[in-house]
Amino acid sequence: MAADTSPPRARTLPVRSRPWILTYHSVSDPTDDPYGITVSADRLDEQLTWLRRRGLTGVGTAALLRARAAGKRGLVGLTFDDGYADFLDEALPVLLAHGCTATVFVLPGRPGGSNDWDPLGPRRPLLTEEGVRTVAAAGMEIGSHGLLHRALTELSDDELRRETHGSREELRRVTGRAPSGFCYPYGIADRRVAESVREAGYAYGCALVPGALAGPLALPRTHVSHADRGARLRAKEVRHRLRYRSAGNAHRGEAG
């Protein structure tokens, strides 16, 4: 049975709330990886082990936001961008073995396609529509990454609407439910883009460094690479807390 991925209403999420959310992409052989976005399944296992030893459980973003709204701690957000097909065979078994869930941000305009927006590196296949349904049935949250992985701030209003509104309707068709979350391609958004996401009906949006944007439609995230092990992960956690220390009152060792 698919997990409950409905988030709290946006108004219940404090504007300054900044949960710790990790960003993954492909889980496969990281040898040819010019962008530093691939981790091996073994390294993912090591990273999740590190989190679990610190009393942290990885969950999807909607579940994380619901837990924070209820005052619960001990959780960290796990997100996988682009919807790579390797999620099914490489990432999913590791997540389930650790009792974790995640949000998978997919591109419904490219079912079974590849990452041809990347000029460098190998072509990696993306999830088919059946693959997306299999991921959802395994308890993962499905979110939108737009239709085609385009730089949204450079689009016309009509093109932007297709990427935000159109991708939500496509995912509703594919999975039977409209996604709650949107992830900005390249981690970039501005107020016009965030407003289009809000108007489309999404409850939250994920960026990388949201800049002047704030609130549930501009959640910051921490990029994770194959090089990240215990010490580097701890440094990234500390950096996140310092950067957003005014956001909340999370206790030491908790990433709620």
Side-chain angles (χ1 to χ4, degrees), residues 68-90:
R68 285 176 62 85
K72 297 179 181 178
R73 303 289 178 180
L75 301 176
V76 58
L78 299 178
T79 61
F80 290 77
D81 289 8
D82 303 334
Y84 290 103
D86 55 49
F87 182 88
L88 274 173
D89 294 328
E90 302 294 334

Side-chain angles (χ1 to χ4, degrees), residues 99-162:
C100 295
T101 58
T103 302
V104 183
F105 290 110
V106 303
L107 297 156
R110 295 179 179 268
S114 71
N115 59 325
D116 60 11
W117 60 86
D118 287 331
L120 303 176
R123 298 281 72 87
R124 301 188 187 277
L126 305 179
L127 289 166
T128 63
E129 291 187 354
E130 183 58 34
V132 171
R133 287 189 285 269
T134 300
V135 169
M140 305 298 121
E141 177 189 5
I142 300 298
S144 173
H145 203 27
L147 280 174
L148 300 170
H149 203 287
R150 304 179 71 188
L152 303 184
T153 57
E154 301 174 5
L155 302 183
S156 69
D157 289 347
D158 287 343
E159 291 173 317
L160 175 59
R161 183 179 178 86
R162 284 194 291 273

Side-chain angles (χ1 to χ4, degrees), residues 25-33 37-44 84-87 90-91 122 124-125 226:
H25 290 77
S26 174
V27 179
S28 57
D29 181 0
T31 303
D32 186 3
D33 181 27
I37 61 172
T38 305
V39 303
S40 70
D42 287 344
R43 185 53 50 84
L44 175 62
Y84 290 103
D86 55 49
F87 182 88
E90 302 294 334
R124 301 188 187 277
H226 187 76

